[in-house]
Amino acid sequence: MMYANEAKMVSNEVRVRELAFHAYNQRQNFEVSAERIMESATKAKPAGNFSFDGRNWVPNEYMGYAVVSMLNANPGNEELSKYLTEIQASLNENLQPVNGFYMLPPESFHQTVANTLSDGRFKANILNAGIEPEYPDMVKSAFDKIAVSRLQNPIKMRAAGLSVFGTAIGMLFTFDNEADYNRILRFRAGLYDDTKLAGLDVKMTRPIIGHITLAYIEQKLNKNQKEYLATIINEINEDVRSKNKKNYFLISNTGLRRYDHLAEFCNADNYPVYQFTI
């Protein structure tokens, strides 16, 4: 999600900048504060990513590629995966209206490390241009140019709490260690500096925001439902804060994934993977 104060207008184009470490953590902690949750819930609106046909959820098309760190494809996240699934079950049980919220499958839980191309930009620059077979190799070439870390420890992100960001509900993460934050920034800078990818209009469209999306809002909420949404999230966040020493997302790798909609991020043998650890 991109906020107005996270980008600056330069020469009639939006030039997006990464947040400084302390500003990043400050932002994340603000977004999960009780007062902010009450405010952001009033602005919640339907995402339009999934439709309920009376019996089943049907995904709406949203195609593209992204460089993501899948929760369950990174070692050591079993407890966090279990905890997020429990939180999601609580949301599903308590939120109203029934079938107003699409709960993402736990196997889709991920951190987007870098957006590449999606929806119209994906179709114009990759699909309709006929270069999709070559695209994974182009991303691999960019990965190969990024300096490899000599660290054995994975990047650690601490769960800060749930947030409502426009059309979605997700767990936000902070960094205890500035060096871990910088490891992700260096990777992103290297990827977005690649000239071949830049030629396809691959560019940074938002700063890195540590989060795992758990649900999309898919019905218009009335005033009482928005207030109740905020109440439930604030109750969950009290529990998150009481256990935050245990709730880390460990990131050892990130890789290219393809999606036709936002509930399934598909892998293939020729999709490149970047290792943050040796």
Side-chain angles (χ1 to χ4, degrees):
M1 201 71 182
M2 184 170 153
Y3 292 77
N5 64 348
E6 294 170 345
K8 297 181 178 180
M9 191 68 70
V10 178
S11 302
N12 297 321
E13 293 185 2
V14 176
R15 183 180 179 185
V16 181
R17 302 179 187 274
E18 304 281 17
L19 299 176
F21 174 65
H22 294 295
Y24 169 89
N25 278 343
Q26 185 178 41
R27 176 206 181 276
Q28 298 292 80
N29 287 322
F30 170 70
E31 291 295 331
V32 302
S33 65
E35 296 80 6
R36 177 60 173 166
I37 295 298
M38 293 298 295
E39 177 186 359
S40 58
T42 66
K43 301 175 183 178
K45 58 184 180 180
N49 293 326
F50 300 88
S51 303
F52 191 72
D53 65 6
R55 298 182 62 184
N56 301 295
W57 284 101
V58 179
N60 298 328
E61 180 185 276
Y62 191 83
M63 303 171 66
Y65 282 95
V67 177
V68 301
S69 291
M70 304 302 297
L71 181 64
N72 293 330
N74 278 268
N77 291 312
E78 294 79 12
E79 286 299 314
L80 178 61
S81 181
K82 179 175 180 290
Y83 186 52
L84 293 180
T85 303
E86 291 170 354
I87 288 175
Q88 192 183 59
S90 179
L91 292 172
N92 193 42
E93 180 180 352
N94 287 287
L95 294 182
Q96 297 293 329
V98 175
N99 298 322
F101 300 82
Y102 175 76
M103 300 295 157
L104 285 158
E107 56 269 23
S108 77
F109 291 172
H110 70 278
Q111 167 67 50
T112 299
V113 174
N115 286 297
T116 55
L117 292 170
S118 61
D119 201 26
R121 292 172 63 227
F122 161 75
K123 291 178 179 178
N125 292 287
I126 297 181
L127 188 64
N128 296 341
I131 66 167
E132 188 166 7
E134 293 81 36
Y135 186 66
D137 285 338
M138 296 175 69
V139 176
K140 181 181 185 304
S141 177
F143 282 9
D144 290 343
K145 296 173 187 175
I146 300 171
V148 177
S149 169
R150 285 303 176 205
L151 299 175
Q152 295 183 350
N153 295 328
I155 294 168
K156 292 175 68 174
M157 301 196 307
R158 181 196 292 262
L162 293 183
S163 174
V164 181
F165 33 98
T167 61
I169 302 167
M171 179 66 70
L172 297 191
F173 292 86
T174 59
F175 290 84
D176 291 353
N177 189 327
E178 186 172 1
D180 279 349
Y181 182 63
N182 288 336
R183 289 164 74 184
I184 287 187
L185 297 194
R186 283 194 295 270
F187 172 84
R188 284 165 55 85
L191 183 72
Y192 291 127
D193 283 346
D194 185 82
T195 55
K196 288 186 178 180
L197 293 182
L200 298 177
D201 199 33
V202 174
K203 59 188 176 183
M204 182 165 61
T205 58
R206 67 199 71 176
I208 184 72
I209 297 296
H211 74 284
I212 293 178
T213 303
L214 302 183
Y216 284 106
I217 302 162
E218 292 296 357
Q219 285 190 32
K220 187 175 181 179
L221 307 180
N222 62 36
K223 182 176 182 291
N224 289 338
Q225 290 165 339
K226 289 177 178 178
E227 290 177 353
Y228 188 58
L229 167 63
T231 298
I232 293 299
I233 288 181
N234 281 330
E235 288 177 356
I236 291 172
N237 282 350
E238 285 297 320
D239 183 69
V240 174
R241 281 186 281 271
S242 71
K243 298 178 179 178
N244 62 2
K245 291 184 178 180
K246 299 179 181 178
N247 294 328
Y248 281 103
F249 183 2
L250 306 180
I251 298 178
S252 300
N253 64 74
T254 195
L256 186 68
R257 295 284 175 122
R258 170 75 153 78
Y259 50 90
D260 291 321
H261 55 79
L262 294 176
E264 186 176 18
F265 293 79
C266 301
N267 199 6
D269 290 341
N270 66 326
Y271 288 1
V273 175
Y274 181 87
Q275 297 292 338
F276 284 107
T277 59
I278 58 174

